[in-house]
């Protein structure tokens, strides 16, 4: 089962300048003393410098459209901040999640009744018809007129703010780290007046990751293959193998290293079966993107390459949204560390 090329392109590219807010926002606003005084006390206006396009918010958005971008980063971040009611159309889903109840919550969000284009996303006219006041895109791909999407300028003309997630300005996610997940949380916290909640989530994640990293410190770092299950992005047998990006930061925190980090200068490598067979793979991380059974794909690979140490020791884990940009990277770190260094826990 292979996905259409536009989705693979969106997956391979993802997130911008680590955006910063010029003004902070607290989680509650005092309505007394007039609108301007209330706005000042709530932290508004908030200005983000996002991919060279300033976005000024005078109040929390109430009609949010979340574009697909082969991601769940943005919708998961909004849900983690308790902002599901602000979403009028969501096109993101991995079909599963490491967070209990998250996949069901994502599935329960409105989709806006939109007929999607070939990239499984919201075309220009349909986007304008949704009357959004904020549109979230994983990368600048979602605002490219050549792709049939509404541009940031066109959306501004109809009163909508736009936001490209961290590292997504140039559609190159190879330098993405866990810090970018925190940047996304902070930005959305500021935009929606939920900064306190965002900082609580970040602090909890940092604490969890630090605890895991301390337990695996000094341990030998196994070579890990990370790839998406049943997904083709290129011409070779293995075209969705992770080379660089946030995945490597997660692996490092979990006490592992990417067996194919040098195989590409971009986020993903397009590898032959011979190249994969000739590499010592100590462990396997399979990411399920709308695949109901990524663990079955992992077991299939282990049978296909019985010479791998991973196959001999049956060392694999199937993950979904926690392995990608989003609020739950600490869960991926914990699960991978538990697989690589079981004696440490």
């Amino acid at each position: 089962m292979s996905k259409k090329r536009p989705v693979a392109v969106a997956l391979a590219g993802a997130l911008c300048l680590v955006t910063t807010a010029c003004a902070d926002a607290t989680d509650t606003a005092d309505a007394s003393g007039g609108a301007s005084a209330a706005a000042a006390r709530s932290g508004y206006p908030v200005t983000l410098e996002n991919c060279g396009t300033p976005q000024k918010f005078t109040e929390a958005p109430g009609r949010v459209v979340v574009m697909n971008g082969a991601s769940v980063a943005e919708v998961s971040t909004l849900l983690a901040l308790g902002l599901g009611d602000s979403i009028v159309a969501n096109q993101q889903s991995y079909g599963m999640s490491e967070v209990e109840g998250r996949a069901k919550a994502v599935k329960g969000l409105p989709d806006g009744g939109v007929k999607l284009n070939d990239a499984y996303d919201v075309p220009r006219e349909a986007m304008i018809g949704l009357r959004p006041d904020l549109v979230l895109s994983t990368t600048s791909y979602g605002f490219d007129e050549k792709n049939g999407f509404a541009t940031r300028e066109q959306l501004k003309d109809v009163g909508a703010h736009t936001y490209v997630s961290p590292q997504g300005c140039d559609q190159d996610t190879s330098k993405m780290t866990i810090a970018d997940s925190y940047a996304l949380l902070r930005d959305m916290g500021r935009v929606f007046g939920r900064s306190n909640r965002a900082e609580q989530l970040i602090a909890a994640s940092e604490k969890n990751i630090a605890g895991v990293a301390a337990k695996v410190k000094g341990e030998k770092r196994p070579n890990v293959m990370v790839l998406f299950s049943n997904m083709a992005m290129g011409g070779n047998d293995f075209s969705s193998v992770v080379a660089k990006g946030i995945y490597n930061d997660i692996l490092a925190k979990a006490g592992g290293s990417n067996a194919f980090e040098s195989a590409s200068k971009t986020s993903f490598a397009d590898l032959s079966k011979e190249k994969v067979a000739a590499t010592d793979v100590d462990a396997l991380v399979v990411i399920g993107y709308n695949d109901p059974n990524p663990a079955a794909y992992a077991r299939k690979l282990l049978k296909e390459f019985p010479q791998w140490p991973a196959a001999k020791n049956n060392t694999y884990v199937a993950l979904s949204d926690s392995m990608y940009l989003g609020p739950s990277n600490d869960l991926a770190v914990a699960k991978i560390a538990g697989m690589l260094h079981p004696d440490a826990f």
Side-chain angles (χ1 to χ4, degrees):
M1 178 182 71
S2 63
K3 304 291 181 183
K4 288 188 177 180
R5 181 69 182 171
V7 173
V9 169
L11 234 181
L15 302 159
C16 143
L17 302 168
V18 176
T19 54
T20 56
C22 300
D24 199 359
T26 58
D27 289 357
T28 58
D30 185 350
S32 62
S36 60
R41 278 191 295 276
S42 68
Y44 293 103
V46 169
T47 302
L48 300 180
E49 182 67 33
N50 185 244
C51 299
T53 304
Q55 300 290 310
K56 185 176 181 179
F57 298 84
T58 57
E59 62 182 358
R63 294 187 60 81
V64 183
V65 175
V66 184
M67 298 188 74
N68 184 348
S71 175
V72 283
E74 293 74 27
V75 71
S76 296
T77 296
L78 294 183
L79 289 175
L81 292 170
L83 296 166
D85 290 344
S86 300
I87 300 172
V88 295
N90 169 59
Q91 301 303 333
Q92 293 187 346
S93 173
Y94 269 17
M96 57 197 303
S97 173
E98 276 72 72
V99 179
E100 186 176 356
R102 175 69 53 75
K104 183 178 180 181
V106 170
K107 187 177 181 180
L109 292 170
D111 62 9
V114 173
K115 182 180 179 181
L116 303 180
N117 60 17
D118 288 342
Y120 299 99
D121 225 328
V122 185
R124 181 188 302 109
E125 294 305 318
M127 178 65 77
I128 301 299
L130 288 169
R131 298 181 294 108
D133 57 8
L134 174 62
V135 180
L136 304 179
S137 178
T138 301
T139 73
S140 56
Y141 178 91
F143 298 121
D144 192 331
E145 196 166 25
K146 297 193 301 293
N147 301 326
F149 298 124
T151 66
R152 301 189 80 174
E153 192 62 35
Q154 289 167 345
L155 287 164
K156 181 181 178 182
D157 288 343
V158 296
H161 294 92
T162 49
Y163 179 88
V164 177
S165 291
Q167 301 298 336
C169 293
D170 56 3
Q171 302 184 48
D172 177 12
T173 62
S174 62
K175 296 179 178 64
M176 188 188 293
T177 68
I178 294 171
D180 292 308
S181 292
Y182 298 154
L184 176 57
L185 264 171
R186 283 197 172 100
D187 281 351
M188 292 300 101
R190 289 160 174 161
V191 167
F192 288 91
R194 298 286 177 93
S195 284
N196 288 351
R197 175 61 177 158
E199 294 304 327
Q200 289 169 359
L201 291 168
I202 292 167
S205 175
E206 289 177 331
K207 181 180 179 181
N208 291 342
I209 290 174
V212 171
K215 290 181 179 179
V216 301
K217 185 177 181 180
E219 298 282 348
K220 182 181 177 182
R221 294 180 171 270
N223 289 322
V224 184
M225 181 182 190
V226 182
L227 77 167
F228 283 78
S229 63
N230 290 306
M231 178 173 284
M233 295 187 195
N236 283 297
D237 292 318
F238 294 91
S239 56
S240 63
V241 177
V242 168
K244 292 177 172 62
I246 193 171
Y247 320 93
N248 291 358
D249 193 17
I250 290 171
L251 284 179
K253 298 291 194 303
S257 60
N258 189 339
F260 296 96
E261 183 173 4
S262 62
S264 173
K265 293 181 180 179
T266 60
S267 295
F268 293 91
D270 187 4
L271 305 176
S272 66
K273 183 175 180 179
E274 290 74 23
K275 168 68 174 175
V276 171
T279 304
D280 282 334
V281 173
D282 298 315
L284 198 60
V285 174
V286 172
I287 306 171
Y289 173 72
N290 287 322
D291 181 349
N293 198 351
Y297 180 75
R299 291 190 292 269
K300 173 189 167 188
L301 284 184
L302 296 180
K303 286 183 179 179
E304 190 173 355
F305 300 99
Q307 75 277 16
W308 284 349
K312 296 172 183 177
N313 300 313
N314 196 36
T315 308
Y316 75 91
V317 66
L319 298 173
S320 55
D321 56 347
S322 66
M323 195 63 184
Y324 192 59
L325 185 81
S328 309
N329 297 151
D330 57 320
L331 299 183
V333 171
K335 286 182 177 292
I336 294 170
M339 169 189 67
L340 298 179
H341 307 285
D343 293 340
F345 296 90

Short mmCIF file of all heavy atoms in Angstrom, two decimals, residues 3-54:
data_model
loop_
_atom_site.label_atom_id
_atom_site.label_comp_id
_atom_site.label_asym_id
_atom_site.label_seq_id
_atom_site.Cartn_x
_atom_site.Cartn_y
_atom_site.Cartn_z
N LYS A 3 1.18 5.54 -0.55
CA LYS A 3 0.40 6.76 -0.52
C LYS A 3 0.67 7.55 -1.78
O LYS A 3 1.70 7.41 -2.44
CB LYS A 3 0.78 7.59 0.71
CG LYS A 3 0.63 6.82 2.02
CD LYS A 3 -0.81 6.54 2.35
CE LYS A 3 -0.92 5.80 3.67
NZ LYS A 3 -2.28 5.44 4.00
N LYS A 4 -0.24 8.47 -2.13
CA LYS A 4 0.00 9.31 -3.28
C LYS A 4 1.19 10.22 -3.04
O LYS A 4 1.46 10.62 -1.93
CB LYS A 4 -1.25 10.16 -3.58
CG LYS A 4 -2.40 9.34 -4.17
CD LYS A 4 -3.52 10.23 -4.63
CE LYS A 4 -4.64 9.43 -5.28
NZ LYS A 4 -5.74 10.27 -5.74
N ARG A 5 1.87 10.57 -4.10
CA ARG A 5 3.10 11.35 -4.02
C ARG A 5 2.96 12.66 -3.22
O ARG A 5 3.83 12.97 -2.40
CB ARG A 5 3.59 11.65 -5.43
CG ARG A 5 4.90 12.44 -5.48
CD ARG A 5 6.04 11.61 -4.99
NE ARG A 5 7.27 12.39 -5.00
CZ ARG A 5 8.41 12.00 -4.46
NH1 ARG A 5 8.47 10.82 -3.88
NH2 ARG A 5 9.47 12.74 -4.49
N PRO A 6 1.88 13.47 -3.41
CA PRO A 6 1.80 14.72 -2.66
C PRO A 6 1.86 14.52 -1.16
O PRO A 6 2.42 15.34 -0.44
CB PRO A 6 0.45 15.31 -3.10
CG PRO A 6 0.20 14.73 -4.46
CD PRO A 6 0.77 13.33 -4.36
N VAL A 7 1.24 13.45 -0.65
CA VAL A 7 1.28 13.20 0.78
C VAL A 7 2.69 12.86 1.22
O VAL A 7 3.16 13.32 2.26
CB VAL A 7 0.31 12.06 1.16
CG1 VAL A 7 0.45 11.69 2.61
CG2 VAL A 7 -1.13 12.50 0.88
N ALA A 8 3.40 12.07 0.40
CA ALA A 8 4.78 11.74 0.73
C ALA A 8 5.65 12.99 0.75
O ALA A 8 6.51 13.16 1.62
CB ALA A 8 5.33 10.73 -0.29
N VAL A 9 5.41 13.88 -0.20
CA VAL A 9 6.16 15.13 -0.24
C VAL A 9 5.89 15.95 1.02
O VAL A 9 6.80 16.50 1.64
CB VAL A 9 5.80 15.95 -1.49
CG1 VAL A 9 6.37 17.36 -1.41
CG2 VAL A 9 6.31 15.25 -2.75
N ALA A 10 4.64 16.00 1.41
CA ALA A 10 4.28 16.76 2.61
C ALA A 10 4.92 16.15 3.85
O ALA A 10 5.36 16.86 4.75
CB ALA A 10 2.76 16.79 2.76
N LEU A 11 5.00 14.81 3.87
CA LEU A 11 5.62 14.14 5.00
C LEU A 11 7.11 14.45 5.05
O LEU A 11 7.67 14.71 6.11
CB LEU A 11 5.44 12.62 4.84
CG LEU A 11 4.81 11.87 5.99
CD1 LEU A 11 4.74 10.40 5.67
CD2 LEU A 11 5.55 12.10 7.29
N ALA A 12 7.74 14.43 3.88
CA ALA A 12 9.18 14.63 3.83
C ALA A 12 9.56 16.06 4.15
O ALA A 12 10.69 16.35 4.51
CB ALA A 12 9.70 14.24 2.45
N GLY A 13 8.63 16.96 3.99
CA GLY A 13 8.92 18.34 4.36
C GLY A 13 8.10 18.74 5.53
O GLY A 13 7.01 18.35 5.69
N ALA A 14 8.63 19.42 6.53
CA ALA A 14 7.71 19.86 7.57
C ALA A 14 8.34 20.83 8.52
O ALA A 14 9.20 20.75 8.88
CB ALA A 14 7.18 18.71 8.37
N LEU A 15 8.48 21.60 8.97
CA LEU A 15 8.29 22.67 9.85
C LEU A 15 9.28 23.79 10.09
O LEU A 15 10.32 23.73 9.70
CB LEU A 15 7.85 22.14 11.16
CG LEU A 15 6.67 21.41 10.85
CD1 LEU A 15 6.20 20.39 11.77
CD2 LEU A 15 5.77 22.30 10.49
N CYS A 16 9.35 25.71 10.56
CA CYS A 16 9.82 27.02 10.10
C CYS A 16 10.80 27.61 11.04
O CYS A 16 11.36 26.93 11.83
CB CYS A 16 8.60 27.88 9.90
SG CYS A 16 8.68 29.59 10.31
N LEU A 17 11.01 28.77 10.86
CA LEU A 17 11.76 29.51 11.88
C LEU A 17 11.12 29.21 13.21
O LEU A 17 9.92 29.15 13.30
CB LEU A 17 11.65 31.01 11.60
CG LEU A 17 12.16 31.47 10.23
CD1 LEU A 17 11.72 32.90 10.00
CD2 LEU A 17 13.65 31.35 10.17
N VAL A 18 11.95 29.01 14.26
CA VAL A 18 11.33 28.82 15.57
C VAL A 18 10.73 30.16 15.92
O VAL A 18 11.42 31.11 16.25
CB VAL A 18 12.35 28.38 16.61
CG1 VAL A 18 11.70 28.28 17.97
CG2 VAL A 18 12.95 27.05 16.23
N THR A 19 9.41 30.23 15.79
CA THR A 19 8.76 31.52 15.93
C THR A 19 8.68 31.94 17.38
O THR A 19 8.63 31.12 18.28
CB THR A 19 7.33 31.44 15.35
OG1 THR A 19 6.66 30.37 15.96
CG2 THR A 19 7.38 31.22 13.86
N THR A 20 8.64 33.23 17.56
CA THR A 20 8.57 33.78 18.91
C THR A 20 7.44 34.77 19.00
O THR A 20 7.10 35.44 18.03
CB THR A 20 9.87 34.49 19.30
OG1 THR A 20 10.15 35.51 18.34
CG2 THR A 20 11.04 33.52 19.33
N ALA A 21 6.85 34.85 20.13
CA ALA A 21 5.77 35.81 20.33
C ALA A 21 6.33 37.06 20.98
O ALA A 21 7.17 37.00 21.85
CB ALA A 21 4.68 35.21 21.20
N CYS A 22 5.84 38.19 20.53
CA CYS A 22 6.32 39.45 21.07
C CYS A 22 5.61 39.80 22.37
O CYS A 22 6.06 40.65 23.12
CB CYS A 22 6.10 40.58 20.06
SG CYS A 22 6.95 40.28 18.51
N ALA A 23 4.47 39.18 22.62
CA ALA A 23 3.76 39.42 23.87
C ALA A 23 3.22 38.10 24.36
O ALA A 23 2.81 37.26 23.59
CB ALA A 23 2.61 40.42 23.65
N ASP A 24 3.22 37.90 25.65
CA ASP A 24 2.74 36.67 26.24
C ASP A 24 1.27 36.79 26.54
O ASP A 24 0.70 37.87 26.54
CB ASP A 24 3.53 36.37 27.52
CG ASP A 24 3.41 34.91 27.92
OD1 ASP A 24 2.72 34.17 27.20
OD2 ASP A 24 4.02 34.53 28.93
N ALA A 25 0.62 35.67 26.82
CA ALA A 25 -0.79 35.67 27.17
C ALA A 25 -1.00 34.74 28.33
O ALA A 25 -0.50 33.66 28.36
CB ALA A 25 -1.63 35.20 25.97
N THR A 26 -1.78 35.16 29.30
CA THR A 26 -2.12 34.31 30.41
C THR A 26 -3.34 33.50 30.07
O THR A 26 -3.98 33.73 29.05
CB THR A 26 -2.38 35.14 31.67
OG1 THR A 26 -3.43 36.06 31.39
CG2 THR A 26 -1.14 35.91 32.10
N ASP A 27 -3.67 32.54 30.91
CA ASP A 27 -4.76 31.63 30.58
C ASP A 27 -6.14 32.20 30.86
O ASP A 27 -7.14 31.65 30.43
CB ASP A 27 -4.59 30.32 31.37
CG ASP A 27 -3.43 29.51 30.83
OD1 ASP A 27 -2.81 29.92 29.84
OD2 ASP A 27 -3.16 28.46 31.41
N THR A 28 -6.23 33.30 31.56
CA THR A 28 -7.53 33.88 31.84
C THR A 28 -7.48 35.37 31.60
O THR A 28 -6.44 36.02 31.70
CB THR A 28 -7.95 33.64 33.31
OG1 THR A 28 -6.95 34.19 34.16
CG2 THR A 28 -8.08 32.15 33.58
N ALA A 29 -8.60 35.95 31.24
CA ALA A 29 -8.69 37.38 31.00
C ALA A 29 -9.77 37.97 31.88
O ALA A 29 -10.86 37.43 32.00
CB ALA A 29 -9.01 37.65 29.53
N ASP A 30 -9.48 39.09 32.49
CA ASP A 30 -10.45 39.80 33.33
C ASP A 30 -11.27 40.68 32.42
O ASP A 30 -10.75 41.55 31.71
CB ASP A 30 -9.69 40.64 34.36
CG ASP A 30 -10.63 41.32 35.35
OD1 ASP A 30 -11.84 41.29 35.10
OD2 ASP A 30 -10.12 41.86 36.34
N ALA A 31 -12.57 40.47 32.41
CA ALA A 31 -13.44 41.19 31.49
C ALA A 31 -13.76 42.59 31.96
O ALA A 31 -14.32 43.39 31.21
CB ALA A 31 -14.74 40.42 31.28
N SER A 32 -13.43 42.94 33.19
CA SER A 32 -13.78 44.26 33.70
C SER A 32 -12.82 45.31 33.21
O SER A 32 -11.69 45.03 32.85
CB SER A 32 -13.76 44.23 35.23
OG SER A 32 -12.47 43.93 35.70
N GLY A 33 -13.29 46.57 33.19
CA GLY A 33 -12.40 47.67 32.85
C GLY A 33 -12.32 47.97 31.37
O GLY A 33 -11.42 48.69 30.95
N GLY A 34 -13.25 47.45 30.58
CA GLY A 34 -13.26 47.77 29.16
C GLY A 34 -12.48 46.77 28.34
O GLY A 34 -11.61 46.06 28.84
N ALA A 35 -12.79 46.73 27.02
CA ALA A 35 -12.19 45.74 26.14
C ALA A 35 -10.69 45.90 26.02
O ALA A 35 -9.94 44.93 26.05
CB ALA A 35 -12.85 45.82 24.76
N SER A 36 -10.22 47.14 25.87
CA SER A 36 -8.78 47.33 25.69
C SER A 36 -8.00 46.96 26.94
O SER A 36 -6.92 46.37 26.86
CB SER A 36 -8.49 48.79 25.31
OG SER A 36 -8.94 49.66 26.33
N ALA A 37 -8.55 47.28 28.11
CA ALA A 37 -7.88 46.93 29.35
C ALA A 37 -7.85 45.42 29.53
O ALA A 37 -6.85 44.84 29.95
CB ALA A 37 -8.57 47.58 30.54
N ALA A 38 -8.97 44.77 29.18
CA ALA A 38 -9.04 43.30 29.29
C ALA A 38 -8.03 42.66 28.34
O ALA A 38 -7.35 41.70 28.70
CB ALA A 38 -10.46 42.81 28.97
N ALA A 39 -7.92 43.22 27.13
CA ALA A 39 -6.97 42.67 26.17
C ALA A 39 -5.54 42.80 26.69
O ALA A 39 -4.74 41.88 26.56
CB ALA A 39 -7.11 43.39 24.82
N ALA A 40 -5.25 43.95 27.28
CA ALA A 40 -3.90 44.15 27.81
C ALA A 40 -3.60 43.17 28.93
O ALA A 40 -2.51 42.61 29.00
CB ALA A 40 -3.75 45.59 28.31
N ARG A 41 -4.59 42.94 29.80
CA ARG A 41 -4.35 42.02 30.92
C ARG A 41 -4.24 40.58 30.44
O ARG A 41 -3.57 39.76 31.06
CB ARG A 41 -5.48 42.16 31.96
CG ARG A 41 -5.29 43.32 32.91
CD ARG A 41 -6.28 43.23 34.06
NE ARG A 41 -7.67 43.38 33.62
CZ ARG A 41 -8.25 44.56 33.43
NH1 ARG A 41 -7.58 45.68 33.62
NH2 ARG A 41 -9.51 44.63 33.06
N SER A 42 -4.90 40.24 29.34
CA SER A 42 -4.87 38.87 28.84
C SER A 42 -3.62 38.59 28.01
O SER A 42 -3.39 37.46 27.62
CB SER A 42 -6.11 38.58 28.00
OG SER A 42 -6.08 39.33 26.80
N GLY A 43 -2.85 39.63 27.74
CA GLY A 43 -1.63 39.44 26.96
C GLY A 43 -1.75 39.82 25.51
O GLY A 43 -0.77 39.79 24.78
N TYR A 44 -2.95 40.15 25.05
CA TYR A 44 -3.13 40.57 23.66
C TYR A 44 -2.85 42.07 23.54
O TYR A 44 -3.08 42.81 24.49
CB TYR A 44 -4.56 40.25 23.20
CG TYR A 44 -4.84 38.78 23.11
CD1 TYR A 44 -5.59 38.14 24.09
CD2 TYR A 44 -4.34 38.02 22.06
CE1 TYR A 44 -5.83 36.78 24.04
CE2 TYR A 44 -4.59 36.65 22.00
CZ TYR A 44 -5.33 36.04 22.98
OH TYR A 44 -5.58 34.69 22.92
N PRO A 45 -2.38 42.54 22.40
CA PRO A 45 -2.15 41.74 21.19
C PRO A 45 -0.90 40.87 21.29
O PRO A 45 0.04 41.20 22.00
CB PRO A 45 -1.99 42.80 20.10
CG PRO A 45 -1.43 43.98 20.82
CD PRO A 45 -2.06 43.96 22.19
N VAL A 46 -0.92 39.76 20.57
CA VAL A 46 0.21 38.85 20.44
C VAL A 46 0.68 38.90 18.99
O VAL A 46 -0.14 38.77 18.07
CB VAL A 46 -0.20 37.42 20.82
CG1 VAL A 46 0.89 36.43 20.43
CG2 VAL A 46 -0.51 37.32 22.29
N THR A 47 1.95 39.08 18.78
CA THR A 47 2.50 39.13 17.43
C THR A 47 3.53 38.02 17.25
O THR A 47 4.46 37.90 18.05
CB THR A 47 3.15 40.49 17.12
OG1 THR A 47 2.17 41.51 17.29
CG2 THR A 47 3.68 40.52 15.70
N LEU A 48 3.36 37.22 16.22
CA LEU A 48 4.33 36.18 15.85
C LEU A 48 5.00 36.58 14.55
O LEU A 48 4.32 37.00 13.60
CB LEU A 48 3.64 34.82 15.65
CG LEU A 48 2.87 34.20 16.80
CD1 LEU A 48 2.30 32.86 16.35
CD2 LEU A 48 3.76 34.02 18.01
N GLU A 49 6.29 36.45 14.49
CA GLU A 49 7.03 36.61 13.24
C GLU A 49 7.18 35.21 12.65
O GLU A 49 8.03 34.44 13.08
CB GLU A 49 8.39 37.25 13.51
CG GLU A 49 9.20 37.51 12.24
CD GLU A 49 8.58 38.56 11.34
OE1 GLU A 49 7.95 39.50 11.86
OE2 GLU A 49 8.71 38.43 10.10
N ASN A 50 6.35 34.89 11.68
CA ASN A 50 6.24 33.52 11.20
C ASN A 50 6.64 33.42 9.74
O ASN A 50 5.92 33.88 8.86
CB ASN A 50 4.79 33.02 11.42
CG ASN A 50 4.60 31.57 11.06
OD1 ASN A 50 3.87 31.25 10.14
ND2 ASN A 50 5.25 30.67 11.78
N CYS A 51 7.79 32.83 9.47
CA CYS A 51 8.30 32.68 8.12
C CYS A 51 8.35 34.03 7.38
O CYS A 51 8.01 34.11 6.20
CB CYS A 51 7.46 31.69 7.32
SG CYS A 51 7.44 30.03 8.01
N GLY A 52 8.71 35.08 8.09
CA GLY A 52 8.81 36.40 7.49
C GLY A 52 7.48 37.10 7.32
O GLY A 52 7.41 38.17 6.72
N THR A 53 6.42 36.49 7.83
CA THR A 53 5.08 37.07 7.71
C THR A 53 4.54 37.34 9.11
O THR A 53 4.10 36.42 9.80
CB THR A 53 4.13 36.11 6.96
OG1 THR A 53 4.69 35.79 5.69
CG2 THR A 53 2.76 36.75 6.75
N PRO A 54 4.55 38.60 9.57
CA PRO A 54 4.06 38.91 10.92
C PRO A 54 2.57 38.59 11.05
O PRO A 54 1.78 38.84 10.13
CB PRO A 54 4.31 40.41 11.07
CG PRO A 54 5.32 40.75 10.01
CD PRO A 54 5.06 39.80 8.88
#
